Amino acid sequence: MVDGRTNDILLADARALVQRAIDKAEQLQLRGGIAVFGGSGALVSVSRMDRGGAGGMARARSKAWISATQQIPSAEHLTRMNFVSPPVEQGFKTASPEALFPGAGGMPILRSIDGAIDEVIGGIAASGSTVSPFFPAGIPRENMIADGKPANPEDLLIHYALRLPYVGQHGDDYARWARSFGDFPDDAPTGLGMADAPRASRQHEHDWAIALADAVLAEAATRDVKVGLAIVDQRGDAVQQDAADGAPTSGALLALSLAATAATFQLPSDTVGNRFAGQLVSVAATLPFPILTSQGGVPIREGGRFVGGLGVAGAEPGLCAEIALAALASIS
């Protein structure tokens, strides 16, 4: 084995980080998406909480990618981009399309080598409908205090997931606290921000998506192939994305396009190509996401209505479609 290669966090470890973040987010009454990328910049696992809102997953993916590949908190990357000239900033975005949302909040994931050198094996970030650095009303304030200091919810759930001491990434937490609650008290308690959160228990769609994703991975394993997968809602927004360890890094990305195609047209992805033969360029130009019309994407129906799509990619397209259908059948 060649030393010095970039490594990606394993799927099981990425899933564990995402779950810790979801546990803390539910405790704080937040809803959004959490993304984990590998050190190479490959997607490993992304989850959207129930009613997490459209768009959050894309923002979380971008910040996680920046933290993984630039090997710094995305807040530091944002500071650097604000320092350089506009052509340099635009050039970075052009050369790195995954970094279209260079917001603060993403953190690199480190692994110690021989107890000394830290290796970046990934990045993690969160975003979504109510995931933000602002303090929401109605939550016990001690849950947003860490080590006697205000801890904004977005940065808190990421540091909690990583088991790191809280460090804010979004500027002045005291000013944000004052905006919501008034001046931060001089005699503030240590706080419960980093205390263990109970296991999330109100994430029914997320639990269903994890079960379906696990069924895809199991079906793929029985066929001795490694795949990436995506589960989307009826609008084509991602609910869950995973890449099996060792799967082609294109798999989870292609799967998202396949799933969105199947969900939004309510047809198997390859059927869409047949229906719009000769018109696909025009059709694709009207949509807010890329479509893919090979096999591997299937619509998901529940109670007689279409609720989303499942995409599988990374192996032969016909086999991916077979895996998707078998996985759906196994949990229906």
Side-chain angles (χ1 to χ4, degrees):
M1 180 178 293
V2 178
D3 290 335
R5 295 194 191 280
T6 301
N7 292 304
D8 292 331
I9 185 173
L10 297 176
L11 175 58
D13 295 334
R15 284 258 195 104
L17 289 176
V18 170
Q19 186 60 54
R20 273 184 63 83
I22 289 175
D23 293 343
K24 178 58 70 172
E26 185 177 280
Q27 183 189 47
L28 297 175
Q29 301 176 28
L30 306 178
R31 301 183 304 279
I34 298 95
V36 174
F37 277 67
S40 70
L43 184 150
V44 179
S45 189
V46 187
S47 292
R48 190 181 79 181
M49 299 175 67
D50 285 20
R51 301 179 180 88
M57 293 282 268
R59 297 192 297 272
R61 286 195 299 261
S62 182
K63 295 190 290 184
W65 185 90
I66 289 170
S67 297
T69 59
Q70 306 310 295
Q71 303 184 2
I72 53 176
S74 62
E76 173 60 24
H77 171 77
L78 177 59
T79 298
R80 296 179 184 183
M81 290 297 100
N82 288 333
F83 182 79
V84 301
S85 65
V88 173
E89 179 185 6
Q90 185 56 50
F92 182 88
K93 293 179 180 178
T94 301
S96 308
E98 298 92 337
L100 284 177
F101 187 80
M107 289 290 291
I109 302 168
L110 303 179
R111 179 176 66 184
S112 295
I113 301 176
D114 299 327
I117 302 174
D118 285 330
E119 174 193 18
V120 175
I121 58 171
I124 181 172
S127 189
S129 59
T130 63
V131 173
S132 80
F134 295 96
F135 293 90
I139 299 174
R141 297 179 189 181
E142 61 267 25
N143 288 343
M144 296 179 288
I145 299 174
D147 298 324
K149 301 175 183 178
N152 78 72
E154 179 178 339
D155 295 330
L156 178 59
L157 70 89
I158 293 299
H159 284 73
Y160 174 84
L162 292 171
R163 304 177 191 270
L164 292 176
Y166 175 82
V167 178
Q169 304 293 313
H170 285 84
D172 191 346
D173 282 338
Y174 287 93
R176 285 194 175 88
W177 182 282
R179 180 178 180 271
S180 296
F181 308 124
D183 291 341
F184 191 73
D186 294 331
D187 59 348
T190 299
L192 300 175
M194 298 302 288
D196 287 345
R199 176 81 176 192
S201 61
R202 300 189 299 276
Q203 303 301 317
H204 307 301
E205 182 185 43
H206 169 66
D207 291 343
W208 164 83
I210 288 290
L212 178 54
D214 285 344
V216 168
L217 296 173
E219 292 289 344
T222 64
R223 293 160 174 80
D224 198 29
V225 294
K226 298 179 183 295
V227 299
L229 65 97
I231 301 161
V232 303
D233 63 16
Q234 64 269 31
R235 184 253 183 194
D237 201 59
V239 174
Q240 183 70 31
Q241 286 179 269
D242 286 307
D245 298 330
T249 55
S250 62
L253 304 177
L254 294 174
L256 181 58
S257 294
L258 289 166
T261 302
T264 57
F265 288 94
Q266 301 181 355
L267 294 167
S269 52
D270 55 312
T271 303
V272 173
N274 297 331
R275 175 169 291 190
F276 293 97
Q279 305 175 60
L280 274 178
V281 173
S282 298
V283 170
T286 68
L287 300 173
F289 50 79
I291 62 174
L292 188 60
T293 58
S294 61
Q295 292 177 287
V298 296
I300 301 173
R301 298 186 68 167
E302 184 179 274
R305 72 185 183 99
F306 290 95
V307 296
L310 168 63
V312 179
E316 190 276 324
L319 180 58
C320 288
E322 178 184 310
I323 290 169
L325 290 169
L328 277 172
S330 72
I331 71 163
S332 62

